[in-house]
Amino acid sequence: MAPPERITVLGAGSWGTTFAKVLADAGNDVVLWARRAEVAAAINETRRNSAYLPDIRLPSTLRATDDAAEAVHGAGAVVLAVPSQTLRENLAGWQPLLPPEATLVSLAKGVELSTLKRMSEVIGEVADVPMAHVAVVSGPNLAKEIAAEQPTATVVACPDHDRAVALQHACSTPYFRPYTNTDLVGIEIAGACKNVIALACGMAAGLGFGHNTMSSLITRGLAETTRLGVALGADPMTFAGLAGLGDLVATAMSPLSRNRTFGERLGRGETMAQAQEAAHGQVSEGVKSCSSIRQLAARHGVEMPITDVVHRVCHEGLAPAPAAAELLGRERKPE
Ligand SMILES: NC(=O)C1=CN([C@@H]2O[C@H](COP(=O)(O)OP(=O)(O)OC[C@H]3O[C@@H](n4cnc5c(N)ncnc54)[C@H](OP(=O)(O)O)[C@@H]3O)[C@@H](O)[C@H]2O)C=CC1
Ligand SMILES: O=C(CO)COP(=O)(O)O
């Protein structure tokens, strides 16, 4: 299958804009949809998305619009770059516009609150397409570093290997190296859960703890993530890869991560409202997904103690310090 030439990115936040740049730098004709007309106009006129990536000049082969019908017309791939919890509603509006053979690519890292579905499940259902048409891009991909063209690897996952390869070609640049995978379940569970573990690591940093604590949370976080993934049918090896350990380390350790930063504010004693306000409208997916992942784990009889305390800190008023003490005081057991 030949790589698509015309690619649409729906959502012009940090990652949507950055991924559109990657696709344009890889030689594709790229249209970026922004929900606000002024954002689309500014990108076309100034080559910048000043709210999200003020220091980055966008390539001239990237065109922006606020007209979704115009954006998706003739696209070989449509990349969905809106937050997880709004994807269903957004996609329902776009569904009649989608070219029937297009690959639908999810960039979102979350689990839907009301249904406990992964993003590819939401896409398959709402767009009413075979799962072989649905792909996911996930890895250690902090948008600002990639926009600055720092070397990064990622995973392009699709149940149809040929489609994954076509998309891999379409987003390969000298600074962005995609690997293929067919384990959609593992890639998406890893991407959603790492945001929750990054919140926990942020809380630990805010409480003043160092690298031993971070490393302990990352490793035990990966253990509970893998347990859930395996219960849902994922390949356990996926969690040792770029979208698993790779993304978890990047997100949990980087001050660029919105989830880690959000957790750090809570750890320092800020309220949820203060941490939300400081995020300036940017999405910290783990704050909502901690609840859906916790419910998904309960449904499958999987123990996820870190996710459980993150949910209780974010939504039930548990303070970070007793949450840490609770994790340390759990029943002793073999690794
Ligand atoms: N940033 C990153 O480094 C990475 C992010 N991701 C994932 O990608 C997804 C998108 O994240 P990111 O781009 O960073 O998020 P941002 O918060 O930076 O941007 C969100 C984008 O979605 C738009 N948006 C918000 N709510 C709605 C809505 N109800 N309907 C339509 N559009 C909406 C925003 O528009 P507006 O500006 O008008 O508010 C904005 O363009 C998330 O799931 C995230 O976890 C994955 C890898 C890396
Ligand atoms: O997914 C990401 C990096 O891979 C971005 O993480 P944050 O959403 O926490 O910024």
Side-chain angles (χ1 to χ4, degrees):
M1 188 174 183
E5 288 172 1
R6 169 101 190 256
I7 303 185
T8 302
V9 179
L10 298 170
S14 309
W15 188 215
T17 306
T18 300
F19 197 67
K21 171 176 155 43
V22 169
L23 292 165
D25 288 345
N28 302 285
D29 168 21
V30 180
V31 185
L32 175 62
W33 172 86
R35 69 169 165 169
R36 287 177 285 140
E38 65 270 25
V39 174
I43 290 173
N44 291 332
E45 282 158 26
T46 67
R47 301 274 110 226
R48 282 181 206 277
N49 185 343
S50 57
Y52 290 99
L53 300 166
D55 304 327
I56 303 300
R57 189 172 167 77
L58 299 168
S60 54
T61 45
L62 188 168
R63 194 166 53 79
T65 178
D66 66 329
D67 180 338
E70 183 203 328
V72 299
H73 182 73
V78 176
V79 180
L80 301 159
V82 291
S84 306
Q85 306 302 335
T86 75
L87 179 61
R88 178 180 293 275
E89 186 190 330
N90 296 141
L91 190 55
W94 297 325
Q95 191 273 338
L97 312 170
L98 298 171
E101 284 306 309
T103 303
L104 304 181
V105 186
S106 167
L107 298 188
K109 293 175 176 171
V111 170
E112 194 173 46
L113 273 172
S114 49
T115 63
L116 314 187
K117 289 190 172 165
R118 293 175 283 105
M119 294 300 103
S120 66
E121 295 179 293
V122 173
I123 294 168
E125 187 180 309
V126 177
D128 194 19
V129 295
M131 287 311 287
H133 290 197
V134 183
V136 170
V137 175
S138 191
N141 295 161
L142 295 154
K144 283 201 167 79
E145 293 184 4
I146 296 170
E149 302 186 9
Q150 294 186 23
T152 308
T154 198
V155 179
V156 170
C158 181
D160 176 349
H161 176 70
D162 289 351
R163 254 181 218 263
V165 170
L167 188 58
Q168 177 188 40
H169 282 286
C171 66
S172 291
T173 74
Y175 59 88
F176 195 71
R177 178 170 170 78
Y179 291 78
T180 58
N181 196 319
T182 52
D183 180 15
L184 221 47
V185 177
I187 298 291
E188 288 187 296
I189 289 298
C193 292
K194 66 87 194 179
N195 286 332
V196 179
I197 307 306
L199 279 166
C201 286
M203 288 176 205
L207 287 168
F209 302 144
H211 288 94
N212 292 337
T213 314
M214 300 308 143
S215 182
S216 302
L217 281 168
I218 286 172
T219 311
R220 294 312 300 163
L222 190 62
E224 68 180 55
T225 300
T226 306
R227 278 200 297 273
L228 177 63
V230 169
L232 296 171
D235 177 350
M237 287 309 292
T238 299
F239 299 92
L242 287 162
L245 182 63
D247 197 7
L248 179 55
V249 170
T251 310
M253 299 302 286
S254 173
L256 290 178
S257 158
R258 282 92 40 104
N259 286 285
R260 149 109 188 190
T261 304
F262 197 105
E264 195 169 341
R265 288 181 174 278
L266 296 181
R268 287 204 302 258
E270 289 188 19
T271 62
M272 282 290 288
Q274 286 169 321
Q276 298 276 17
E277 198 183 329
H280 299 298
Q282 292 209 21
V283 69
S284 294
E285 292 275 20
V287 173
K288 288 185 176 158
S289 286
C290 62
S291 306
S292 45
I293 292 167
R294 179 177 180 254
Q295 273 181 271
L296 193 57
R299 181 187 280 177
H300 291 271
V302 174
E303 217 183 3
M304 297 189 77
I306 302 172
T307 303
D308 180 61
V309 296
V310 170
H311 162 82
R312 287 193 283 133
V313 169
C314 290
H315 304 291
E316 294 182 3
L318 177 66
E326 185 180 316
L327 286 174
L328 285 161
R330 279 166 50 80
E331 179 200 355
R332 284 181 286 273
K333 54 177 70 162
E335 188 178 26

